[in-house]
Amino acid sequence: MSDRLSVLKTYKLYVGGKFPRSESGRVYEVTDAKGKWLANAPLSSRKDARDAVVAARKAFGGWSGATAYNRGQILYRIAEMLEGRRDQYVAEVADAEGLSKSKAAAQVDAAIDRWVWYAGWTDKIAQVTGGGNPVAGPFFNLSSPEPTGVVAVLAPQESSFLGLVSVVAPVIATGNTAVVVASERSPLPALSLGEVLATSDLPGGVVNILSGRTAELATPLAAHQDVNAIDLAGADETLAKELEIAAADNLKRVLRPQPVDGADWSATPGTDRMTAFLETKTVWHPTGSLGASGSSY
Amino acid sequence: MAPVFEYAPAPESRAVVDIAPSYGLFIDGEFTEAADGKVFKTVSPSTEEVLSEVAEAGEADVDRAVRAARKAFEKWSALPGAERAKYLFRIARIIQERSRELAVLETLDNGKPIRETRDADLPLVAAHFFYYAGWADKLDHAGYGADPRPLGVAGQVIPWNFPLLMLAWKIAPALATGNTVVLKPAETTPLSALFFADICRQAGLPKGVVNIITGDGRAGAALTAHPDVNKVAFTGSTAVGKEIARTVAGTRKKLTLELGGKGANIVFDDAPIDQAVEGIVSGIFFNQGQVCCAGSRLLVQESIHDELLDSLKRRLSTLRLGDPLDKNTDIGAINSAEQLARITALADQGEAEGAERWSPACELPSTGYWFAPTLFTNVTQAHTVARDEIFGPVLSVLTFRTPDEAVAKANNTPYGLSAGIWTEKGSRILAVANKLRAGVIWSNTFNKFDPTSPFGGYKESGFGREGGRHGLEAYLDV
């Protein structure tokens, strides 16, 4: 039996629901843990980052305005699509992180389960973080969480898929839109995620995925005046500080990287990664209460 | 036409306050001089009279205060919540007992009318301590985990517009959650914080749990930059807020910022005009407009513009400006000569850019810092008075035709702190409130505050919330 020559895939970015190459025309070599060539990934430029922000902003109104139920349905469908491509991700994660097939499978399973977990949060987070406030006066007073806007997400460098899912899902579950910078060394699972997102009824622009040099892409994103928040999970200490300073210019919400290297992405997350990118809106309205006596009923 | 009845003067007595000629820093339970002996004067903005001389903290003093707070933290954080709660209840009660004295003091040092310090500031100050007292022994029910931990030493820098209220917003949740604090009040309004130090003494609060350092921006900068501070809370200008965000970058300090605003007060054509006018007045002339969440941009539906403006001007003509200690006074003094100069320059710029300026006939006292309530009409979104925070009694009026246009104009600012909506149509309130990018939205009311109600901004108005359950998060390791 002669070996069949496989068809190679050109990995592309995922921006605005489309799959462009980098506008710069640049690529870089992605290798597996042993240094074997896997693919050429797009080496995104600052312009790609800016285009991704434009796409994310354009998508924000629709996505944040969708019902929480609808967002949940779409996130759940993404999990379904991921499940169908499970084998592909296991292979990609095994290559990317140098894991045995069973360990890679455990990572992928955890990532899919995590995606389902966040899908379930879409219509519950408002009840957990918001509610009525008993003010001392005749007012109806209600606090509700709202997405902060466009979030730049620097995906964790080491955990190419579970880490990625752990930082992307909470951002969009709460109605934000995201510009994601994939793990620099292992971008392929992230670029493949784009293919799943595109076929899961997720509106174009809600998640935009870039591959390339994290530092090169993070700098313009942290300084971008139309980015509302930044997740520094994939930045090292020096870069994180620099980015945090840049983010102060328009008072971006900043989620700092874990204090210790190699965050444990397998631990069950709390709500922190969601609340970090939520605003609290409090609305007051007079109740027209009839004075202290009220009704006798 | 002369009014039929004149107001008789109704001055509040100054005798209820005993202001010492000089005050030290309050560190580790004692009043002490600054290490280098520096002092500055605090004046009454309505009379320019020097009220007292206050120690000016330098870096050495800031360091000493932080060390005192660190030392106190161990015991204070280990205290059962129920015990911390009782200290806070004591403080709340003493504030109620001394509220007349504190109201007069605040009016003297800040220039705001006694009507406001007595009826708004002081009741809210006490209410904040009561509210957070009740949280101290219920933190495991607050939704931040079973055993939420305090952060450590909180460095807090507060502004001059609500000196005692901002102190309460900062100190009450910090203490309830088991943190200790070093607080720096504003340079122009240090006195009520120093009186609060005396309240801590009366309440028997352990030494070092609350430290007050007076001084200017340099002391504030030293405090926020101090390596042994775990939490920084700041209320003030957006420019300083950004500077602080840069300062704490790359550290593990937790940061919350309560910054500027340019609130839109949107009046639809079906709004009850008289109520809206009252809301507009309280929105921008409360505390002489020196309010971060002031409704400084009035957006009026075009069809009622003339009618509303007539009513508004008529109402403004009845506002009484003058002695802040007079109980009839609506508009007091601007807090400082510097602030008056800033307001004056921005208002002049509005006029130079072609907006139409109007103020009611209004006699300004010859001493002190005063600015007449001012309206700008024919304002476009490009005008400086429609974009920059003025932090004074200056209202810019813009118009709109459709709800979408109102929302677009309201959101057309880097700020996102507050907004107002006036309409009789409930579904419109909810629809517009949904679309406004602001942290606090008052519908058919304005400038209401309550300790149970989270307060804070979107965008460049800062991050984090004060008040309510949400306000605890800023002081917990979550």
Side-chain angles (χ1 to χ4, degrees):
Chain A
M1 193 177 92
S2 64
D3 279 349
R4 178 181 170 270
L5 189 66
S6 64
V7 178
L8 287 183
K9 179 163 91 177
T10 296
Y11 282 89
K12 294 189 186 178
L13 306 177
Y14 182 54
V15 176
K18 298 192 163 63
F19 294 93
R21 295 181 164 89
S22 168
E23 66 78 38
S24 66
R26 303 181 304 181
V27 292
Y28 70 112
E29 277 192 25
V30 178
T31 57
D32 71 7
K34 293 194 181 102
K36 194 183 83 172
W37 182 85
L38 292 171
N40 292 323
L43 184 60
S44 307
S45 65
R46 291 163 169 258
K47 176 70 164 74
D48 292 318
R50 289 198 297 270
D51 289 347
V53 173
V54 170
R57 172 61 60 199
K58 203 170 153 199
F60 178 69
W63 184 243
S64 61
T67 64
Y69 179 63
N70 183 224
R71 283 202 304 268
Q73 290 278 298
I74 292 173
L75 262 75
Y76 188 71
R77 179 148 180 88
I78 293 171
E80 291 174 354
M81 300 291 109
L82 288 172
E83 188 77 43
R85 291 204 189 204
R86 183 174 173 278
D87 291 348
Q88 176 193 340
Y89 287 110
V90 171
E92 282 182 342
V93 169
D95 282 346
E97 300 179 27
L99 299 176
S100 68
K101 193 159 182 207
S102 65
K103 282 193 173 150
Q107 293 273 308
V108 172
D109 290 347
I112 296 172
D113 290 355
R114 177 139 315 156
W115 198 285
V116 172
W117 191 74
Y118 277 116
W121 263 115
T122 55
D123 52 5
K124 295 163 193 76
I125 189 75
Q127 290 174 313
V128 171
T129 63
N133 307 306
V135 299
F139 296 95
F140 172 72
N141 185 278
L142 189 75
S143 289
S144 17
E146 288 191 346
T148 196
V150 173
V151 181
V153 178
L154 310 184
Q157 298 297 342
E158 301 307 323
S159 184
S160 64
F161 194 60
L162 177 56
L164 171 83
V165 163
S166 301
V167 295
V168 173
V171 167
I172 63 169
T174 46
N176 295 287
T177 57
V179 175
V180 182
V181 179
S183 163
E184 183 168 328
R185 196 175 59 79
S186 316
L188 302 185
L191 296 175
S192 292
L193 177 67
E195 296 160 20
V196 160
L197 300 179
T199 53
S200 307
D201 303 327
L202 187 74
V206 172
V207 174
N208 305 276
I209 300 173
L210 305 173
S211 57
R213 307 279 172 246
T214 298
E216 183 188 355
L217 297 171
T219 308
L221 288 172
H224 200 299
Q225 295 298 299
D226 204 29
V227 171
N228 302 89
I230 186 162
D231 180 342
L232 299 178
D236 64 34
E237 206 178 308
T238 316
L239 178 63
K241 181 175 179 178
E242 192 185 300
L243 297 175
E244 206 178 333
I245 290 170
D249 263 348
N250 72 336
L251 293 163
K252 284 181 187 66
R253 281 61 179 141
V254 175
L255 185 58
R256 292 169 172 157
Q258 305 290 324
V260 194
D261 283 346
D264 179 12
W265 294 107
S266 61
T268 306
T271 55
D272 301 6
R273 302 202 82 86
M274 288 183 284
T275 55
F277 305 117
L278 287 173
E279 306 289 343
T280 298
K281 178 184 275 179
T282 299
V283 179
W284 292 65
H285 193 282
T287 56
S289 296
L290 299 171
S293 59
S295 165
S296 53
Y297 286 99
Chain B
M1 186 179 77
V4 181
F5 298 109
E6 284 292 350
Y7 283 82
E12 173 60 277
S13 169
R14 276 191 68 154
V16 295
V17 186
D18 191 8
I19 301 176
S22 73
Y23 286 93
L25 310 167
F26 185 67
I27 297 175
D28 206 15
E30 310 285 342
F31 280 104
T32 101
E33 285 181 22
D36 56 11
K38 279 195 186 167
V39 295
F40 64 98
K41 292 176 166 54
T42 185
V43 302
S44 184
S46 61
T47 59
E48 299 176 53
E49 162 204 2
V50 174
L51 295 172
S52 188
E53 211 170 64
V54 177
E56 185 180 333
E59 278 189 34
D61 304 301
V62 170
D63 185 55
R64 204 150 54 91
V66 172
R67 275 189 284 123
R70 171 65 57 200
K71 199 171 114 221
F73 174 67
E74 201 180 322
K75 279 189 184 161
W76 180 250
S77 59
L79 216 53
E83 296 298 300
R84 287 202 307 272
K86 284 187 283 180
Y87 280 113
L88 287 171
F89 277 118
R90 281 185 178 194
I91 289 171
R93 273 288 187 244
I94 296 171
I95 287 167
Q96 285 184 322
E97 287 160 12
R98 295 177 63 174
S99 69
R100 186 172 172 207
E101 173 195 1
L102 292 166
V104 173
L105 175 77
E106 195 84 315
T107 285
L108 283 170
D109 204 20
N110 169 282
K112 63 168 72 185
I114 187 74
R115 192 170 65 83
E116 290 179 10
T117 53
R118 181 194 59 191
D119 299 345
D121 296 58
L122 263 299
L124 278 170
V125 170
H128 269 87
F129 279 98
F130 277 118
Y131 177 74
Y132 280 109
W135 267 125
D137 54 357
K138 301 169 191 70
L139 293 174
D140 47 352
H141 294 283
Y144 299 110
D147 182 26
R149 306 299 306 157
L151 295 163
V153 174
Q156 308 177 317
V157 178
I158 59 169
W160 43 259
N161 57 342
F162 294 90
L164 203 51
L165 183 59
M166 293 300 104
L167 174 148
W169 284 24
K170 297 280 182 290
I171 290 185
L175 297 193
T177 45
N179 299 274
T180 55
V181 308
V182 178
L183 176 127
K184 190 198 87 68
E187 189 184 1
T188 59
T189 54
L191 292 183
S192 51
L194 295 166
F195 273 58
F196 180 78
D198 189 53
I199 290 171
C200 294
R201 183 190 60 77
Q202 288 187 331
L205 193 71
K207 290 178 182 204
V209 171
V210 169
N211 304 274
I212 311 276
I213 52 163
T214 46
D216 59 15
R218 287 169 297 184
L223 178 58
T224 55
H226 194 290
D228 203 29
V229 163
N230 305 96
K231 151 81 193 174
V232 172
F234 172 74
T235 296
S237 76
T238 292
V240 175
K242 290 179 180 179
E243 198 47 52
I244 291 173
R246 288 182 200 107
T247 302
V248 306
T251 71
R252 302 310 301 172
K253 287 177 193 173
K254 193 160 180 170
L255 176 64
T256 46
L257 298 171
E258 207 65 78
L259 308 175
K262 191 72 185 174
N265 209 352
I266 307 169
V267 185
F268 288 95
D269 58 6
D270 65 344
I273 295 282
D274 290 342
Q275 285 173 40
V277 164
E278 288 308 309
I280 294 161
V281 168
S282 92
I284 183 61
F285 300 114
F286 178 61
N287 198 19
Q288 295 71 249
Q290 302 167 133
V291 184
C292 50
C293 53
S296 54
R297 287 181 299 154
L298 177 62
L299 300 183
V300 191
Q301 197 150 18
E302 205 174 80
S303 51
I304 57 160
H305 175 270
D306 293 353
E307 183 190 357
L308 183 79
L309 262 287
D310 285 349
S311 294
L312 184 58
K313 287 178 175 176
R314 199 160 52 237
R315 177 68 179 90
L316 290 191
S317 304
T318 67
L319 290 177
R320 296 170 55 82
L321 177 148
D323 181 6
L325 276 177
D326 190 321
K327 292 164 193 161
N328 295 321
T329 293
D330 299 304
I331 307 247
I334 299 301
N335 183 252
S336 66
E338 191 193 357
Q339 184 59 20
L340 177 59
R342 200 173 301 144
I343 298 168
T344 306
L346 281 164
D348 289 351
Q349 194 175 342
E351 218 172 346
E353 287 175 9
E356 204 168 296
R357 180 174 181 163
W358 181 90
S359 285
C362 183
E363 209 174 298
L364 301 182
S366 52
T367 57
Y369 317 127
W370 305 90
F371 198 90
T374 299
L375 277 186
F376 277 104
T377 49
N378 285 332
V379 176
T380 73
Q381 296 182 83
H383 281 113
T384 303
V385 289
R387 308 191 69 84
D388 289 11
E389 185 179 37
I390 298 178
F391 224 65
V394 180
L395 180 65
S396 298
V397 184
L398 298 97
T399 60
F400 67 90
R401 288 185 179 173
T402 64
D404 282 348
E405 188 188 350
V407 168
K409 284 185 169 170
N411 286 339
N412 183 20
T413 165
Y415 296 114
L417 188 51
S418 69
I421 305 168
W422 298 85
T423 172
E424 284 288 60
K425 194 170 163 148
S427 60
R428 182 181 285 153
I429 287 173
L430 298 176
V432 172
N434 254 333
K435 289 180 191 151
L436 292 174
R437 302 285 293 163
V440 184
I441 295 178
W442 287 290
S443 31
N444 291 328
T445 183
F446 211 94
N447 265 345
K448 292 285 185 291
F449 305 94
D450 192 275
T452 67
S453 180
F455 181 93
Y458 283 39
K459 301 195 275 187
E460 295 191 23
S461 289
F463 38 76
R465 292 292 179 270
E466 294 183 293
R469 184 185 73 81
H470 296 74
L472 294 168
E473 189 190 349
Y475 292 94
L476 291 172
D477 182 12
V478 291

